[in-house]
Amino acid sequence: MDVLQFSVTPYLAKKLGFDTLWFGYLQTMVGVIQLFGGPMFGRFADIFGARVALSLACSSTVVFFLLLVIADYPAMLFIHKLPTVFMHVLPASQMVVADLSAPEKRADALSKLGLCFGIGMIAGSTLGGHLSTHYGEKFTACCGAVGSAFSLLLVIKFIPKTTKAQSPRTNTDSENKNKSVFNVGEITRLMKFPGVTPTFVVKVIAGLPSGIFQVMFSIIALEFFKLEPQQNGNLMAYFGVVQMVIQGGVIGRLTGRYSESSLLLLSIGTSSLVGLALAYMQNVFQFCFIVIPMMFSLSMFNVITDSILTKSVPSSDTGTMLGLCASVQSLLRTVGPTAGGFLYVNYGISSIGLIQCVVNVAMFVFLLQRQLKKEQ
């Protein structure tokens, strides 16, 4: 149901007098909130369980949409974003999957989860576009609240109370459970495990340019492509179809045949070509072709980096690690709107694509040299 907001927020913001810069501020606020909320949410899941965390995420989504219903003036658009501190439905779902899957099957399991979210994107985007066009933004937000409440009921009914494998409790385990959700030391210590910090650096640097484009897409669809709400919903549904095919039928097979380091290189190399294509894109028809390699690179990059990071830490800390992964996306959403708004207003959409191309080419060369040195 989260995807319904993309058929509501940009158009409601425009009605309330928001320009590109203020909409960027609104998106930046969400990024800042989730930047700090992600790691705490992950720690919460490790202490209280993934089902409780997923229930909290769904409950926050209900409140989010209810506040959107009563957003009749600009300040309310900022206030309705406050529940996003707990709105980590995808990371919470990943926590459940990571707990219930074997390490060697984790990348495939995470990609299958992406398939489910792709189906949700198709249904939510299509429904959101039609509802917003025919019944208005407020009615669409009400439907989002009802759908999120139904999701909460499904979580309570079907997700096991305990998802982590049971193991003999040690003193360390007891100490871990007694520590606070807000214990920053327990979160940052995960960065000391081998391979975690370099992977995080890659995740941030290589993901920043594509993150800028994703954050600015609502404005690009509105101003550059000049799409109506229903057309925007159809385009988002197309994203979902592509993501569903890639995550359900492509990524799982590739992870079974090739190493994660090779697939990481493939995703970054593809992203550089996508950036070049975006720089010379002229219309939405061309963009529909670019979406295919773009969704492939994004899906592969996120699945592989999340898989590497969760396998680099003990199973008792997978929730916190996935919370940190979510905070990376939030960091991109924090920096993205300001940087993207500046680039789009002053240099056009081509500047975003060219930066994505250059950054990913540099990262590809760096990782390739590093991998060759390891093999030697």
Side-chain angles (χ1 to χ4, degrees), residues 209-262:
S210 58
I212 290 176
F213 181 83
Q214 291 176 69
V215 169
M216 292 300 298
F217 180 74
S218 297
I219 295 299
I220 292 171
L222 192 64
E223 296 188 354
F224 186 77
F225 295 143
K226 302 187 183 305
L227 300 181
E228 296 297 326
Q230 184 172 342
Q231 295 172 321
N232 188 33
N234 292 335
L235 183 59
M236 295 296 291
Y238 172 64
F239 285 177
V241 172
V242 175
Q243 180 180 350
M244 182 176 65
V245 173
I246 290 173
Q247 299 217 3
V250 178
I251 294 180
R253 295 182 180 182
L254 291 178
T255 55
R257 294 184 180 184
Y258 303 100
S259 67
E260 290 181 334
S261 58
S262 299

Side-chain angles (χ1 to χ4, degrees), residues 83-98:
T84 58
V85 69
F86 301 119
M87 276 177 57
H88 298 278
V89 177
L90 177 56
S93 302
Q94 290 174 328
M95 292 168 193
V96 175
V97 170

Side-chain angles (χ1 to χ4, degrees), residues 213-370:
F213 181 83
Q214 291 176 69
V215 169
M216 292 300 298
F217 180 74
S218 297
I219 295 299
I220 292 171
L222 192 64
E223 296 188 354
F224 186 77
F225 295 143
K226 302 187 183 305
L227 300 181
E228 296 297 326
Q230 184 172 342
Q231 295 172 321
N232 188 33
N234 292 335
L235 183 59
M236 295 296 291
Y238 172 64
F239 285 177
V241 172
V242 175
Q243 180 180 350
M244 182 176 65
V245 173
I246 290 173
Q247 299 217 3
V250 178
I251 294 180
R253 295 182 180 182
L254 291 178
T255 55
R257 294 184 180 184
Y258 303 100
S259 67
E260 290 181 334
S261 58
S262 299
L263 293 176
L264 183 59
L265 279 172
L266 176 62
S267 66
I268 293 175
T270 305
S271 182
S272 65
L273 296 177
V274 168
L276 188 63
L278 290 175
Y280 293 98
M281 174 184 65
Q282 298 296 324
N283 52 56
V284 69
F285 180 74
Q286 294 174 355
F287 179 65
C288 287
F289 287 98
I290 299 172
V291 163
I292 298 174
M294 182 178 73
M295 295 302 293
F296 171 80
S297 62
L298 286 173
S299 300
M300 180 68 75
F301 181 77
N302 289 325
V303 166
I304 294 301
T305 51
D306 288 351
S307 176
I308 292 173
L309 289 169
T310 53
K311 289 191 289 188
S312 300
V313 300
S315 59
S316 59
D317 292 314
T318 53
T320 306
M321 178 52 71
L322 285 168
L324 284 170
C325 291
S327 72
V328 172
Q329 298 299 320
S330 302
L331 175 63
L332 301 181
R333 286 196 294 269
T334 302
V335 179
T338 303
F342 174 79
L343 290 172
Y344 181 75
V345 170
N346 293 282
Y347 303 104
I349 190 175
S350 61
S351 62
I352 300 175
L354 288 174
I355 289 175
Q356 178 174 335
C357 178
V358 172
V359 170
N360 279 274
V361 165
M363 186 57 65
F364 180 85
V365 172
F366 169 75
L367 289 176
L368 182 61
Q369 289 179 340
R370 186 180 176 189

Side-chain angles (χ1 to χ4, degrees), residues 24-75:
Y25 290 153
L26 184 65
Q27 296 293 83
T28 300
M29 175 185 171
V30 177
V32 171
I33 291 174
Q34 293 197 322
L35 175 62
F36 292 101
M40 304 303 175
F41 184 84
R43 178 72 179 149
F44 177 89
D46 281 335
I47 295 176
F48 297 102
R51 187 178 79 163
V52 176
L54 187 53
S55 299
L56 176 61
C58 292
S59 301
S60 300
T61 307
V62 174
V63 177
F64 171 89
F65 278 113
L66 291 177
L67 289 174
L68 188 58
V69 172
I70 60 174
D72 293 322
Y73 49 93

